[in-house]
């Protein structure tokens, strides 16, 4: 008898941001297939005796290719296991959750979902910068700053360069210079404020305040690396320095 797969969003890192549904599914599983960005605190919530299978990816280092991850999930489910596919953030937002679900369902495997707080929401709450705010941003757009196999970014720069929209850029550290140039080419002002948040909601969270025309240089100087999220737009003007324990980086005042 086949098992099932739980597609679980672990949230941005803070274990308190997991949903009750996600926690229940994790504790119901006898196999946990987890990503690199899942924190140790969250992973420790699994049922004692469950088998743990790491399949994490790092930039330019996919030790377990996606095709193999699909096969691992299928093999474990066909063996009758309840499999927790544990992903950082939300599995349906830049998490390949829908790809894995489609593969599994095409082989007759039942899939259940537990949404997670995505990194944009986590960074917004930890920094106090809203994603929308009356008079500053009437909408928000999420976009990935990375293409599969390092292909050229072919984003719709004109649509993204809306001064009344908050633009949240996932996985953009390597290409933030190209992204900024694309937005400025479509007349988004270089003075547009940008907040970079690394490892949001974790004890290692870092923040950097910059602007569009120099964010690439500032990120390099600060040594920010993945995972870093960029919040771009007028809402960043509401950022206020707070007495928190995290390392806070300010660029150019």
């Amino acid at each position: 008898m086949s098992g099932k797969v739980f597609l679980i969003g672990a949230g941005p890192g803070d274990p308190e941001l997991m949903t009750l549904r996600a926690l229940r599914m994790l504790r119901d599983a006898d196999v946990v297939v987890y990503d690199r960005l899942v924190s140790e605190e969250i992973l420790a919530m699994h049922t004692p005796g469950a088998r743990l299978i790491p399949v994490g990816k790092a930039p330019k280092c996919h030790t377990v290719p996606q095709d193999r991850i699909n096969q691992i999930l299928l093999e474990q489910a066909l063996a009758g296991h309840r499999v927790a596919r544990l992903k950082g953030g939300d599995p349906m937002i830049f998490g390949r959750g829908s790809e894995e679900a489609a593969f599994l369902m095409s082989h007759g495997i039942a899939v259940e979902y537990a949404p997670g707080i995505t990194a944009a929401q986590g960074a917004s709450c930890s920094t106090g910068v809203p994603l929308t705010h009356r008079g500053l941003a009437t909408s928000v757009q999420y976009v990935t700053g990375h293409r599969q196999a390092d292909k050229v970014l072919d984003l719709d720069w004109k649509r993204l360069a809306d001064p009344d929209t908050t633009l949240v850029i996932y996985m953009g550290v390597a290409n933030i210079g190209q992204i900024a140039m694309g937005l400025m080419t479509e007349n988004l002002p270089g003075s547009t404020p940008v907040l970079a948040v690394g490892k949001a909601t974790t004890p290692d969270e870092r923040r950097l305040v910059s602007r569009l025309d120099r964010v690439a240089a500032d990120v390099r100087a600060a040594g920010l690396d993945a995972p870093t999220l960029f919040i771009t737009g007028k809402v960043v003007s509401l950022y206020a320095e707070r007495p928190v324990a995290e390392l806070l980086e300010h660029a150019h005042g």
Side-chain angles (χ1 to χ4, degrees), residues 127-187:
T127 63
V129 173
L131 299 179
T132 62
H133 187 86
R134 186 166 55 179
L136 295 179
T138 57
S139 63
V140 59
Q141 297 188 72
Y142 295 169
V143 65
T144 175
H146 174 73
R147 281 289 185 268
Q148 187 176 9
D150 295 322
K151 294 180 181 177
V152 176
L153 287 176
D154 55 351
L155 302 176
D156 185 347
W157 303 113
K158 186 174 183 63
R159 178 178 60 83
L160 297 177
D162 180 355
D164 297 318
T165 292
T166 301
L167 179 63
V168 181
I169 304 161
Y170 287 68
M171 299 173 283
V173 169
N175 293 322
I176 191 60
Q178 179 185 347
I179 293 167
M181 183 61 67
L183 295 171
M184 289 187 291
T185 299
E186 292 297 339
N187 299 317

Side-chain angles (χ1 to χ4, degrees), residues 12 37 119 122-123 126-127 169 173 195-209 219 222-231 246-249:
L37 297 181
S126 69
T127 63
I169 304 161
V173 169
L195 174 63
V197 186
K199 300 179 181 177
T201 79
T202 74
D204 297 321
E205 179 176 302
R206 297 182 68 192
R207 307 172 189 172
L208 183 149
V209 178
V219 165
L224 282 178
D225 54 13
T228 294
L229 186 88
F230 297 88
I231 301 176
E246 295 88 355
L247 174 62
L248 177 64
E249 295 273 359

Side-chain angles (χ1 to χ4, degrees), residues 34-240:
Y34 64 97
D35 280 349
R36 180 179 64 93
L37 297 181
V38 174
S39 68
E40 292 183 4
E41 294 83 359
I42 290 174
L43 196 59
M45 295 177 180
H46 70 83
T47 298
R51 181 185 178 191
L52 303 181
I53 304 177
V55 294
K57 301 182 183 72
K60 299 182 183 296
C61 183
H62 294 186
T63 55
V64 185
Q66 186 62 50
D67 287 348
R68 179 56 188 148
I69 293 174
N70 293 348
Q71 287 297 327
I72 289 172
L73 296 173
L74 178 61
E75 290 165 4
Q76 294 300 319
L78 288 175
H81 298 302
R82 297 185 304 278
V83 184
R85 176 64 174 108
L86 194 58
K87 294 172 172 284
D90 185 294
M92 310 299 271
I93 299 179
F94 302 130
R96 295 189 176 180
S98 57
E99 297 176 31
E100 293 174 0
F103 174 82
L104 291 165
M105 290 187 291
S106 73
H107 288 80
I109 302 300
V111 177
E112 295 184 22
Y113 303 87
I117 291 177
T118 188
Q121 295 168 307
S124 174
C125 289
S126 69
T127 63
V129 173
L131 299 179
T132 62
H133 187 86
R134 186 166 55 179
L136 295 179
T138 57
S139 63
V140 59
Q141 297 188 72
Y142 295 169
V143 65
T144 175
H146 174 73
R147 281 289 185 268
Q148 187 176 9
D150 295 322
K151 294 180 181 177
V152 176
L153 287 176
D154 55 351
L155 302 176
D156 185 347
W157 303 113
K158 186 174 183 63
R159 178 178 60 83
L160 297 177
D162 180 355
D164 297 318
T165 292
T166 301
L167 179 63
V168 181
I169 304 161
Y170 287 68
M171 299 173 283
V173 169
N175 293 322
I176 191 60
Q178 179 185 347
I179 293 167
M181 183 61 67
L183 295 171
M184 289 187 291
T185 299
E186 292 297 339
N187 299 317
L188 193 64
S191 59
T192 301
V194 180
L195 174 63
V197 186
K199 300 179 181 177
T201 79
T202 74
D204 297 321
E205 179 176 302
R206 297 182 68 192
R207 307 172 189 172
L208 183 149
V209 178
S210 186
R211 45 186 276 169
L212 200 60
D213 58 3
R214 57 195 186 205
V215 64
D218 289 344
V219 165
R220 286 195 300 271
L224 282 178
D225 54 13
T228 294
L229 186 88
F230 297 88
I231 301 176
T232 303
K234 298 174 185 176
V235 293
V236 178
S237 65
L238 300 176
Y239 178 77

